[in-house]
Amino acid sequence: MADTKREIERKFEFPTAVGDPVRLPDLTRVPGIARVVDQGVVDLDAVYYDTPDLRLDAGSLTLRRRTGGADAGWHLKFPVAKGIRDEVRAPLSDALPPELAALLRSRVRDAQLAPVIRLLSSRAVSRLLADDGTPLAELSVDTVSAQGLAEGASGTTWTEIEVELADAVHDESILDGVEKHLRKAGIRPSASASKLARALRETAPPKPHEDDGGKDTGPADGTAGAEVLGYLRHQRDALVAHDPAVRRELPDAVHQMRVATRRLRSAFTSYAKVIDRSVTDPVGEELRWLAGELGVDRDREVLAGRLRSHIEALPVTLLLGPVRARLRIWSADRGTGARRRTLAVLDSERYLTLLDALDALLADPPLRPAAARPAADVLPKAVLKDHRRLAGRIRTALDLAPGHARDLALHEARKAAKRTRYAAEAATPALGKPAKKLAKRVKAVQSLLGDHQDGVVARDALRLLAARAHAAGESAFTWGLVYGREEAAAALSERRLPEVWARASRTKLRGRLRTAGS
């Protein structure tokens, strides 16, 4: 069974030759550190795995099988932030454990993982302790011998220092203090994010000279094609990166993965003058399928959380009957199998085929003539077209009387707001502040309409809960009370919409977008 450890560490280059004595400064002068306790030397043997085209390295992931030390086993590391990684561990075995293989599936797919680097490290370990003996961090001086395992690869050696906070410590001021003293001693931060990155760089076999034969390398910088493709690649990368986070059940991972699918689909549609929809539409349909499958779990979580917050906000005197218990049962019933279904989708051939289709599309994009034109000429027109579409849907909704038809129309307006916002966000790197401001204003419209739609869905659920409570002989009063509050909140959203929309549709703002970048 895999478990996860959060690593907060810093690496440093030791400026002497391998074999020279390592002299460290007195780290008890670092505030908080009272003692430095020698823990001896341990020998580590790690084999790192990747695909032949180094897909894991491209995503800053590392996969290794290590023997020696207290944590021998399989280790898969995901970047979190600079100097911070999550290490997912599994027991030592000959083959890659299935739980780690699943976390790599969106990147590896049908490629084969193979050994790429072997690292032999002699690690001298010291613990940095507080006055009361509490471990603050572990400092290791590693003498590393790296051997590339690809044909023609070489070997290299170096010495480095690694300082990692203890598991229960999250105060990086300890690392700041250690770094300050190491720098004064002439020891600088490592130029490589990991041992593997350095080993790959220094042991790689020479690359043969390749003549591209004058092959087109893609649209020029500053063109509409370059901007749109850059955005699409970023969203493709986000989709792939969020896959293991969903499998690990990290907070908001399902939502962020779903957002990446929507942004891709939206860009295909908004920028149809740049990239050919006859090619992107089939991929867009598959993205729609994936978003829908991911939405089953996500929508359940959002709805359950919304109803729970309503109940928790009520005084005890207004909770008539076993309200909390019924809500828990209802939520559990809806959640049964949702997690299993999500994982089945991510393991499906259809999903992996979609990822391959995205890669193929971006490797050989079906660009249209407008892709070669300046981004400042093409992108504003696409954003403003989406904005006009949104304006029409909001007018339609506001012309309707409150009720079911208006609810449906407002939901359609919400989807149009989302598309307009995404189009503006995609254009922001090229168009700057006007596009960024429009995206922010339209996001406010989207949020208002999103809350309204969540209320519509919540009222449907509340009717069901009230009916079940009544059928069981329980009071339906509390469910009716919450229903009334949702109804009032929806009416308030509808009254606020004209004002929020007015800020997102000002002529001056749209005029600035038209002239952005010109």
Side-chain angles (χ1 to χ4, degrees):
M1 186 67 179
D3 59 4
T4 302
K5 179 182 182 296
R6 173 65 54 91
E7 291 184 339
I8 305 176
E9 63 183 14
R10 296 184 192 176
K11 297 179 182 294
F12 302 87
E13 309 259 0
F14 201 76
T16 61
V18 173
D20 287 352
V22 175
R23 294 184 177 88
L24 295 173
D26 181 6
L27 296 179
T28 61
R29 299 175 64 187
V30 176
I33 297 176
R35 286 185 291 153
V36 178
V37 180
D38 184 7
Q39 299 292 301
V41 177
V42 61
D43 292 326
L44 306 173
D45 185 347
V47 176
Y48 289 79
Y49 291 75
D50 208 332
T51 60
D53 54 357
L54 301 180
R55 297 180 191 179
L56 303 189
D57 180 62
S60 299
L61 277 67
T62 61
L63 172 67
R64 72 185 178 203
R65 181 185 184 275
R66 189 165 79 180
T67 57
D71 63 345
W74 287 90
H75 304 156
L76 173 58
K77 299 190 180 190
F78 292 94
V80 176
K82 185 178 181 180
I84 303 176
R85 294 188 293 180
D86 278 347
E87 181 178 272
V88 184
R89 299 175 174 178
L92 194 63
S93 60
D94 291 336
L96 176 64
E99 58 267 39
L100 298 192
L103 295 177
L104 295 171
R105 192 159 289 130
S106 65
R107 296 179 189 275
V108 174
R109 296 174 219 169
D110 59 355
Q112 295 297 312
L113 288 167
V116 292
I117 293 286
R118 184 182 184 189
L119 293 182
L120 300 176
S121 302
S122 178
R123 169 167 290 183
V125 181
S126 298
R127 282 189 180 174
L128 311 183
L129 307 180
D131 276 330
D132 60 359
T134 301
L136 298 175
E138 183 175 276
L139 181 145
S140 62
V141 179
D142 294 345
T143 302
V144 183
S145 175
Q147 178 61 54
L149 301 178
E151 184 178 353
S154 60
T156 186
T157 59
W158 72 88
T159 300
E160 72 175 36
I161 297 168
E162 186 177 292
V163 187
E164 181 180 343
L165 289 181
D167 290 348
V169 179
H170 304 287
D171 182 5
E172 292 194 51
S173 66
I174 299 294
L175 297 181
D176 293 338
V178 171
E179 179 173 339
K180 180 179 178 181
H181 281 70
L182 291 179
R183 282 178 176 272
K184 285 182 178 180
I187 301 169
R188 295 288 179 260
S190 176
S192 299
S194 66
K195 289 182 177 67
L196 174 62
R198 178 169 181 170
L200 285 171
R201 184 178 72 249
E202 295 186 6
T203 69
K207 290 184 177 180
H209 175 71
E210 295 183 1
D211 182 3
D212 64 10
K215 181 182 177 181
D216 184 11
T217 57
D221 290 347
T223 61
E227 295 296 331
V228 171
L229 287 177
Y231 179 80
L232 291 172
R233 290 188 179 110
H234 181 74
Q235 299 308 322
R236 183 271 315 273
D237 292 347
L239 177 62
V240 171
H242 285 303
D243 174 300
V246 170
R247 295 174 188 271
R248 294 168 59 201
E249 298 186 84
L250 297 185
D252 208 36
V254 171
H255 173 61
Q256 292 301 326
M257 189 174 184
R258 198 179 183 194
V259 166
T261 67
R262 287 171 167 170
R263 284 179 167 148
L264 284 163
R265 284 183 56 232
S266 179
F268 289 158
T269 305
S270 296
Y271 294 109
K273 295 285 187 182
V274 176
I275 190 163
D276 190 346
R277 283 193 63 176
S278 68
V279 178
T280 63
D281 275 356
V283 180
E285 283 304 306
E286 289 302 281
L287 288 167
R288 184 198 298 274
W289 160 78
L290 178 59
E293 293 292 338
L294 293 172
V296 173
D297 197 17
R298 167 67 181 174
D299 291 345
R300 176 190 62 81
E301 290 177 1
V302 171
L303 179 56
R306 186 181 183 98
L307 298 183
R308 196 178 304 115
S309 66
H310 275 305
I311 297 302
E312 290 172 353
L314 290 175
V316 175
T317 53
L318 297 181
L319 299 179
L320 303 187
V323 175
R324 288 194 176 93
R326 178 158 295 283
L327 182 57
R328 281 196 301 270
I329 294 169
W330 172 84
S331 181
D333 286 346
R334 287 173 58 87
T336 300
R339 167 76 178 160
R340 189 163 53 248
R341 176 174 175 173
T342 297
L343 293 178
V345 167
L346 298 185
D347 289 334
S348 69
E349 190 66 30
R350 183 175 182 179
Y351 167 65
L352 298 178
T353 300
L354 166 59
L355 296 182
D356 287 341
L358 277 171
D359 287 349
L361 187 151
L362 293 172
D364 186 18
L367 297 176
R368 301 187 65 195
R373 294 171 53 198
D377 292 345
V378 177
L379 304 192
K381 294 177 181 178
V383 176
L384 291 170
K385 181 180 179 181
D386 281 345
H387 191 275
R388 289 192 296 272
R389 177 171 170 269
L390 169 59
R393 292 198 176 183
I394 287 180
R395 282 195 302 270
T396 297
L398 292 177
D399 285 344
L400 296 170
H404 181 64
R406 177 184 267 196
D407 289 343
L408 292 177
L410 288 171
H411 183 45
E412 291 302 309
R414 176 200 183 189
K415 290 190 283 188
K418 194 176 297 183
R419 180 166 136 187
T420 305
R421 172 195 162 194
Y422 291 160
E425 288 175 346
T428 294
L431 306 182
K433 192 173 180 179
K436 182 178 181 180
K437 183 174 287 188
L438 180 66
K440 182 179 179 181
R441 299 277 178 85
V442 173
K443 182 180 179 180
V445 176
Q446 176 195 330
S447 297
L448 183 70
L449 294 173
D451 191 61
H452 183 277
Q453 175 62 18
D454 289 347
V456 171
V457 174
R459 294 203 303 273
D460 288 341
L462 288 164
R463 278 194 294 269
L464 174 62
L465 284 162
R468 288 184 177 178
H470 179 73
E474 303 164 7
S475 171
F477 169 82
T478 302
W479 305 115
L481 176 63
V482 175
Y483 184 99
R485 292 190 172 192
E486 283 285 9
E487 202 168 42
L492 177 61
S493 294
E494 292 177 31
R495 289 196 300 272
R496 290 185 57 222
L497 178 58
E499 176 190 351
V500 176
W501 168 239
R503 288 197 293 269
S505 58
R506 287 175 180 164
T507 304
K508 184 180 291 187
L509 180 62
R510 287 179 283 134
R512 288 174 180 168
L513 182 64
R514 287 190 185 94
T515 58
S518 61

